[in-house]
Amino acid sequence: MELEQPIAIVLCTVTHKRNAVTLAKALINDGCAVCVNIIEDVTSVYRWDDNVVEDIECQLVIKTAASHVDEAYELMLSMHPYDVPEWVVINAGASEPYIDWMKNNLK
């Protein structure tokens, strides 16, 4: 498998840690991400249905190859509890050893 640089860092929020862990494990088990960090107790303030809403969420930081972002997105959509889940993709570079590790852990 050829891994292209840049790699992708994807931000996605979810309601509860159990949802975050379930989604993270699915992304890893399916081979469309190599690592997912879960940051608990993130305060999110946003507009929804013409109201300003404040929620406590978990922030997922998903590391994958750019070539796997669409597949990861489809899997996330099939499992995510939100009507409009956050899916923010940031292109990044990585060290050669990290990229080698990614190559061995993505499908």
Side-chain angles (χ1 to χ4, degrees):
M1 177 190 107
E2 284 296 317
L3 184 64
E4 300 172 12
Q5 284 187 314
I7 64 171
I9 306 297
V10 181
L11 303 177
C12 178
T13 53
V14 70
T15 50
H16 303 287
K17 185 175 181 183
R18 69 180 176 273
N19 293 20
V21 170
T22 298
L23 186 54
K25 286 182 177 180
L27 289 164
I28 301 300
N29 286 332
D30 200 54
C32 51
V34 293
C35 179
V36 180
N37 300 116
I38 299 169
I39 304 166
E40 293 184 76
D41 297 327
V42 172
T43 301
S44 297
V45 179
Y46 56 95
R47 184 172 300 281
W48 187 257
D49 291 333
D50 291 326
N51 296 307
V52 175
V53 179
E54 179 180 330
D55 280 326
I56 302 299
E57 300 179 294
C58 289
Q59 178 74 61
L60 281 72
V61 180
I62 303 161
K63 291 125 188 169
T64 190
S67 59
H68 287 62
V69 169
D70 290 342
E71 181 181 356
Y73 181 65
E74 290 303 318
L75 177 61
M76 183 276 310
L77 279 180
S78 73
M79 300 177 66
H80 206 286
Y82 293 172
D83 292 335
V84 182
E86 175 187 40
W87 191 259
V88 177
V89 179
I90 303 165
N91 290 323
S95 67
E96 286 304 316
Y98 193 83
I99 289 176
D100 289 341
W101 175 75
M102 288 183 77
K103 287 179 184 178
N104 292 323
N105 289 282
L106 289 169
K107 67 173 189 178

